[in-house]
Amino acid sequence: MEKPPTLGRKIARGFNRFGGERAAQLVPQARLAGPMPWVIAIMVTLVVIAAAGGLAMRNVAESARTELAAGATVQVLEALPQERERQARIVEEMLQASPAVASTRRVPDEELDALLEPWLGVGTASQAVPVPALIDVRLRSDATQDTLDELQAMLVQRAPDARIDAQASWLGPVFGALSSMQYLALALVVLLAMTSAAAVWLAARSALGSNRGTIEVVHMLGGTDAQIARIFERSIGFDATLGGAVGLAMGLAAILFLGRQFAALGSGMMAAGGLGWTDWVMIAAIPLIAVALAMLTARITVIAALRRML
């Protein structure tokens, strides 16, 4: 005849199912509520804004590089207006006949004067300084140094004052600044993630201290570290989910507000910084990553603390 199970075996079977609402009631202060959801919400908001800014700057840089990759500019650096005009016409004819050139456009003098008016005053630009003739050039392929050297050698034969440069080289400092801002945004995202993990670590340690007596009893009854850690992991998951949802909503509101402000500038470069669907997917994943990071941090913190505690 089979012996009835002992009390210890009954308790062991009971702790095999230890978890869920029953476990949360046993350790009522495991919930990291209070300011924790709002801390996570603030962190998620800042991460969403930083990530959106970094992605927008990346889009601006890629769009500008793509647009300027096959672009070049020819300057005719001649002080005498008649000679400058003669060489400019010769340059246009030679470029249009070149198989490497797709199209050319002479920048009107009125447009150049308008660009110089903020510094030299209205109607005085052409009289104050000799403004070079500018010709925008679109090549059939990327503006490599070899292609530019070939065109330069061709032009100087009949227009000795002509100089050709890749348009992308003019914006080299701008591209460098955009890259620096992207790295700064990435560093800010990493820093905020570390700060969120530190906040969860402190809250988990505080909750452990508040429930030390109950945890010791659970351990003596056969509860494992993993089962106890699951309580805190589940609780921080609820708090992180709430904070992540609120943070995502606030971050999206800030992005839309800033997007309208930049759109009102009417700048073509700023318009190229719009977010695509892949960017929005990455932004929407930020709260999910925050929840996973918070739960993982809580689990690691609790298990490590329990091994030292008991």
Side-chain angles (χ1 to χ4, degrees), residues 164-175:
I164 185 169
D165 297 296
Q167 293 178 356
S169 63
W170 292 15
L171 293 180
V174 177
F175 291 146

Side-chain angles (χ1 to χ4, degrees), residues 131-297:
V131 181
L134 294 182
I135 301 174
D136 286 336
V137 182
R138 301 299 298 178
L139 304 177
R140 298 187 185 277
S141 59
D142 291 348
T144 62
Q145 190 59 46
D146 292 339
T147 302
L148 296 178
D149 291 342
E150 291 177 2
L151 291 175
Q152 180 67 51
M154 178 187 68
L155 294 177
V156 295
Q157 295 177 4
R158 297 180 58 191
D161 296 312
R163 301 292 183 272
I164 185 169
D165 297 296
Q167 293 178 356
S169 63
W170 292 15
L171 293 180
V174 177
F175 291 146
L178 289 175
S179 298
S180 299
M181 294 299 292
Q182 292 178 58
Y183 288 124
L184 179 61
L186 178 60
L188 181 59
V189 169
V190 174
L191 180 61
L192 290 172
M194 295 173 60
T195 304
S196 301
V200 173
W201 178 80
L202 290 174
R205 293 295 300 267
S206 177
L208 276 172
S210 301
N211 293 275
R212 184 183 181 93
T214 304
I215 292 172
E216 290 177 351
V217 173
V218 172
H219 255 290
M220 287 187 295
L221 293 176
T224 64
D225 291 347
Q227 289 172 327
I228 296 173
R230 196 173 299 121
I231 304 173
F232 293 89
E233 184 180 356
R234 178 172 176 267
S235 299
I236 191 59
F238 284 121
D239 290 340
T241 301
L242 175 61
V246 174
L248 178 62
M250 293 192 298
L252 291 178
I255 292 173
L256 294 177
F257 173 76
L258 293 175
R260 290 185 178 181
Q261 297 297 314
F262 282 107
L265 297 177
S267 172
M269 179 172 286
M270 291 298 102
L275 300 177
W277 69 269
T278 54
D279 300 327
W280 288 113
V281 170
M282 295 174 63
I283 291 174
I286 290 176
L288 302 178
I289 298 174
V291 172
L293 178 62
M295 295 177 67
L296 179 61
T297 302

Side-chain angles (χ1 to χ4, degrees), residues 9 22 27 31 41 59 67 73 113 125 160 164 171 209 226 264 305 307:
R9 291 166 62 188
R22 189 162 64 90
V27 190
R31 184 72 180 272
N59 294 340
E67 183 178 352
T73 300
D113 290 340
I164 185 169
L171 293 180
R307 289 174 179 174

Side-chain angles (χ1 to χ4, degrees), residues 80-93:
L80 297 177
Q82 296 82 0
E83 179 63 17
R84 181 171 65 242
E85 183 65 26
R86 185 188 70 82
Q87 292 192 32
R89 288 196 297 268
I90 293 175
V91 168
E92 284 189 276
E93 293 174 359

